[in-house]
Amino acid sequence: MSLKTLTKPWEAMAYGFLDGSAKREIRRKMIKAIAVPGCQMPYASREVPMARGWGTGGLQVSLTLVNPTMRVKVIDQGADDSVNAASIRRFIARVAGAPTTMDTLDADLIQSRHRIPEEILRDDQVLVLQVPNPEPLRPVQPNMSIARQMHADADYGRMWLQLYEQIVRSGRVMQGASYPSLVHGRHVMTPSPIPRWDVPKLNMAQHLTILSAGREKRIFAVPPYTRVEPLVFSDVPYKVEDHAGLTCHRSGTRGFFMNEIPQEDGSSAFEVSDSEWGVKAIRRRDGEEVALGETWYKNGRMPS
Amino acid sequence: MSVHPVPSDFEARCNAAFEAVMWAMARPGLVRDLPTTGMAQLVEALIDRECAVYCAEPGLAELAEKTGALAVAPDRADHVFVDDIPDRLLTQLNCGTDLHPDDGATLIAKADFSNGPQLRLTGPGIDGHVVVSVGGLAHDFWQHRRRALRYPMGFEILLVDGARVLGIPRSTIVEVL
């Protein structure tokens, strides 16, 4: 053994910013996360040049997976052009030399904050969701050691009680985003704060979903063709947001998840939340040839 | 704009090997292509000083030791690399605990995908069911696996045949046809 065998040639920066040991840690934990769908796996979350809570968990997964041929799309609440999305996309491109895109159909890796694109993802695409709070039991059990025991026992009675109390108090389930969902019939997970509209997209999907919480240091996954069932009572069906009848005031597209834009006269205008879908719809309306992918929702309904 | 960073050969190999392993785990029963032949690339992609490893093959054990990993007996290892699976190995493997299913081991073994008994796989990652032919394992291997697993406790199996890999996560139900 010589000194040379113990060292590596000098590099200005590790490829993809993360050093080898950080990548290997994420790789090992991703294997376990995929093997036990929906189960939160603790991992050694590293520092990245971004504040915790701004997508560091998702970024670490993206930086581990990325290579110079992997086309990256980053979304923030559906939009490709918001500050958070643009910064993360530029950072990944800069440290990994990866090509970027805004088109869901072109992307190999999609890092997303709180939305799943409207176009159906293929079985060679990876969706990385940023997760602020990975523990669905936290509202009913703040002690995370006890929560871990409850997951081990599949003791989810209090989750049902919470939903029941919401129905009794308010007449409906009040949980808007991060709707607790049972994965593979065993682990309840939070699907990250995606709207209720997006949760059915995870059920038996073709793509691989990795959910990573950098601040909370947990990673979990939904492999393709895995059951993801929102917790519902049999007599109170699951309801998505009532957006099926809304029309986007810019692109004219209809039947997708919308952002509400308050107007000066007190009324509201609506704009499609998946910004690239809206852009493509406008370009097609203006006579360009644009490929629109198959969408999960058809005429505002999720085919069952 | 600065020059784009270029991955080293080592980095590119680890990245490609892991991508194959990740998809092998995500889609059990579908064989994926590794960048090169053998298990050394998996040691490079996954193992470092955080790991406790058992390698049956001396050359691989040396490589694993260089990464700083602890060399331990199979029952204490989190990664087990073997060519032929010894009797009773499956009963010794670490299955993790109910509290920490992630402590379960990963078994990496050699197999033969060209002939052997047909297996019918069902579970997450599989659209309906998939039939795959896996040889080179003991005839009661899958029976022992089934007995050893108690979901979510269990271990993952990565089978390597040359430059191809097949993943069998603990969530997969295996029937020998």
Side-chain angles (χ1 to χ4, degrees), chain A residues 1 5-6 8 11 13-16 18 20-32 34-37 39-42 46 63-68 70 90 93-98 122-126 145 148-153 183-184 186-187 204 206-208 210 223-226, chain B residues 1-8 10-16 18-19 21-28 30 32 42-51 66-67 78-79 97-107 123-128 151-156 158 168-173:
Chain A
M1 192 181 282
T5 60
L6 291 171
K8 291 185 295 187
E11 278 181 306
M13 179 196 71
Y15 174 78
L18 291 182
S21 84
K23 287 179 184 167
R24 286 187 292 267
E25 167 76 5
I26 300 223
R27 286 178 191 141
R28 291 192 297 262
K29 292 299 179 172
M30 269 169 77
I31 290 177
K32 296 298 160 192
I34 292 168
V36 190
C39 181
Q40 300 163 52
M41 304 300 187
R46 308 297 159 111
L63 293 177
T64 303
L65 290 176
V66 77
N67 62 52
M70 191 174 267
R90 201 176 51 176
R94 191 177 279 178
V95 298
R122 294 186 311 268
D123 64 355
D124 59 345
Q125 290 177 309
V126 183
S145 303
R148 182 162 286 281
Q149 181 72 56
M150 287 166 72
H151 280 293
D153 295 339
V183 184
H184 183 43
R186 175 60 180 80
H187 286 95
M204 296 308 263
Q206 292 171 38
H207 68 276
L208 167 64
I210 311 273
Y225 303 108
T226 300
Chain B
M1 194 67 203
S2 53
V3 221
H4 280 161
V6 178
S8 63
F10 175 83
E11 175 66 43
R13 194 164 62 235
C14 290
N15 182 284
F18 175 69
E19 195 173 325
V21 166
M22 178 184 79
W23 281 111
M25 277 292 158
R27 301 298 307 276
L30 301 190
R32 302 277 164 176
L42 299 179
V43 174
E44 289 172 344
L46 298 174
I47 304 302
D48 59 23
R49 66 184 64 185
E50 308 282 331
C51 302
K66 266 190 199 152
T67 67
D78 46 45
H79 290 78
T97 58
D98 275 323
L99 288 180
H100 284 282
D102 51 302
D103 288 342
T106 308
L107 170 65
I126 302 165
D127 186 12
Y151 189 85
M153 287 175 13
F155 49 82
E156 275 59 62
L158 281 170
I168 310 280
R170 64 187 78 172
S171 56
T172 301
I173 296 165

Side-chain angles (χ1 to χ4, degrees), chain A residues 57-94:
Chain A
L59 185 62
Q60 288 177 69
V61 172
S62 297
L63 293 177
T64 303
L65 290 176
V66 77
N67 62 52
T69 58
M70 191 174 267
R71 201 167 281 276
V72 180
K73 171 183 165 84
V74 184
I75 21 181
D76 175 6
Q77 294 282 12
D80 290 88
D81 47 6
S82 76
V83 174
N84 193 211
S87 309
I88 292 176
R89 184 171 55 238
R90 201 176 51 176
F91 180 72
I92 296 174
R94 191 177 279 178

Side-chain angles (χ1 to χ4, degrees), chain A residues 31-292:
Chain A
I31 290 177
K32 296 298 160 192
I34 292 168
V36 190
C39 181
Q40 300 163 52
M41 304 300 187
Y43 74 102
S45 173
R46 308 297 159 111
E47 293 286 339
V48 287
M50 200 167 71
R52 291 255 160 103
W54 289 85
T56 56
L59 185 62
Q60 288 177 69
V61 172
S62 297
L63 293 177
T64 303
L65 290 176
V66 77
N67 62 52
T69 58
M70 191 174 267
R71 201 167 281 276
V72 180
K73 171 183 165 84
V74 184
I75 21 181
D76 175 6
Q77 294 282 12
D80 290 88
D81 47 6
S82 76
V83 174
N84 193 211
S87 309
I88 292 176
R89 184 171 55 238
R90 201 176 51 176
F91 180 72
I92 296 174
R94 191 177 279 178
V95 298
T100 58
T101 182
M102 294 198 185
D103 191 344
T104 306
L105 303 178
D106 286 346
D108 300 310
L109 176 75
I110 302 174
Q111 181 176 335
S112 169
R113 173 173 175 269
H114 311 351
R115 275 310 311 279
I116 299 175
E118 298 289 0
E119 286 159 297
I120 296 177
L121 300 180
R122 294 186 311 268
D123 64 355
D124 59 345
Q125 290 177 309
V126 183
L127 175 69
V128 178
L129 288 169
Q130 303 168 195
V131 186
N133 171 18
E135 181 56 84
L137 295 173
R138 193 158 295 167
V140 295
Q141 179 48 265
N143 183 329
M144 65 168 133
S145 303
I146 300 176
R148 182 162 286 281
Q149 181 72 56
M150 287 166 72
H151 280 293
D153 295 339
D155 172 12
Y156 296 125
R158 287 195 202 181
M159 296 303 292
W160 293 100
L161 183 62
Q162 187 196 24
L163 296 176
Y164 174 74
E165 283 178 344
Q166 289 177 9
I167 293 173
V168 169
R169 276 204 199 116
S170 318
R172 66 178 176 94
V173 174
M174 299 301 286
Q175 187 94 27
S178 39
Y179 196 97
S181 307
L182 187 66
V183 184
H184 183 43
R186 175 60 180 80
H187 286 95
V188 168
M189 71 155 191
T190 163
S192 83
I194 56 175
R196 292 195 304 264
W197 183 271
D198 284 348
V199 177
K201 296 176 182 173
L202 289 172
N203 184 39
M204 296 308 263
Q206 292 171 38
H207 68 276
L208 167 64
T209 309
I210 311 273
L211 301 101
S212 178
R215 181 179 45 196
E216 305 279 334
K217 306 174 182 69
R218 317 256 186 102
I219 191 166
F220 49 112
V222 179
Y225 303 108
T226 300
R227 279 178 292 133
V228 178
E229 297 147 318
L231 295 185
V232 279
F233 297 102
S234 52
D235 55 343
V236 184
Y238 182 71
K239 260 191 173 163
V240 301
E241 288 81 356
D242 198 8
H243 289 193
L246 302 179
T247 306
C248 172
H249 79 109
R250 290 173 72 186
S251 65
T253 184
R254 194 180 155 87
F256 298 104
F257 192 75
M258 298 283 168
N259 297 332
E260 186 173 356
I261 320 248
Q263 302 295 301
E264 277 188 24
D265 62 359
S267 66
S268 299
F270 294 93
E271 188 179 292
V272 70
S273 162
D274 184 343
S275 67
E276 189 56 23
W277 176 260
V279 168
K280 287 205 283 187
I282 290 173
R283 282 169 53 199
R284 176 173 264 201
R285 188 186 63 195
D286 294 348
E288 260 186 77
E289 268 194 39
V290 185
L292 294 177

Side-chain angles (χ1 to χ4, degrees), chain B:
Chain B
M1 194 67 203
S2 53
V3 221
H4 280 161
V6 178
S8 63
D9 290 346
F10 175 83
E11 175 66 43
R13 194 164 62 235
C14 290
N15 182 284
F18 175 69
E19 195 173 325
V21 166
M22 178 184 79
W23 281 111
M25 277 292 158
R27 301 298 307 276
L30 301 190
V31 176
R32 302 277 164 176
D33 289 328
L34 290 165
T36 58
T37 57
M39 297 181 190
Q41 56 192 333
L42 299 179
V43 174
E44 289 172 344
L46 298 174
I47 304 302
D48 59 23
R49 66 184 64 185
E50 308 282 331
C51 302
V53 176
Y54 172 80
C55 293
E57 208 244 310
L60 210 59
E62 201 179 311
L63 184 67
E65 201 192 329
K66 266 190 199 152
T67 67
L70 209 58
V72 294
D75 59 330
R76 289 182 48 222
D78 46 45
H79 290 78
V80 176
F81 294 83
V82 289
D83 284 351
D84 301 306
I85 298 166
D87 292 343
R88 298 178 17 83
L89 178 72
L90 292 191
T91 55
Q92 296 172 343
L93 283 179
N94 186 358
C95 285
T97 58
D98 275 323
L99 288 180
H100 284 282
D102 51 302
D103 288 342
T106 308
L107 170 65
I108 297 111
K110 247 189 200 162
D112 176 7
F113 303 150
S114 50
N115 59 56
Q118 299 228 304
L119 308 176
R120 184 178 184 272
L121 310 183
T122 47
I126 302 165
D127 186 12
H129 68 92
V130 63
V131 175
V132 64
S133 167
V134 177
L137 304 172
H139 69 280
D140 50 1
F141 177 82
W142 300 108
Q143 213 177 323
H144 282 307
R145 171 184 179 269
R146 192 149 120 199
R147 228 171 277 155
L149 296 186
R150 194 171 65 72
Y151 189 85
M153 287 175 13
F155 49 82
E156 275 59 62
I157 302 170
L158 281 170
L159 298 170
V160 179
D161 178 4
R164 294 185 299 163
V165 64
L166 180 78
I168 310 280
R170 64 187 78 172
S171 56
T172 301
I173 296 165
V174 180
E175 286 173 73
V176 183
L177 297 178

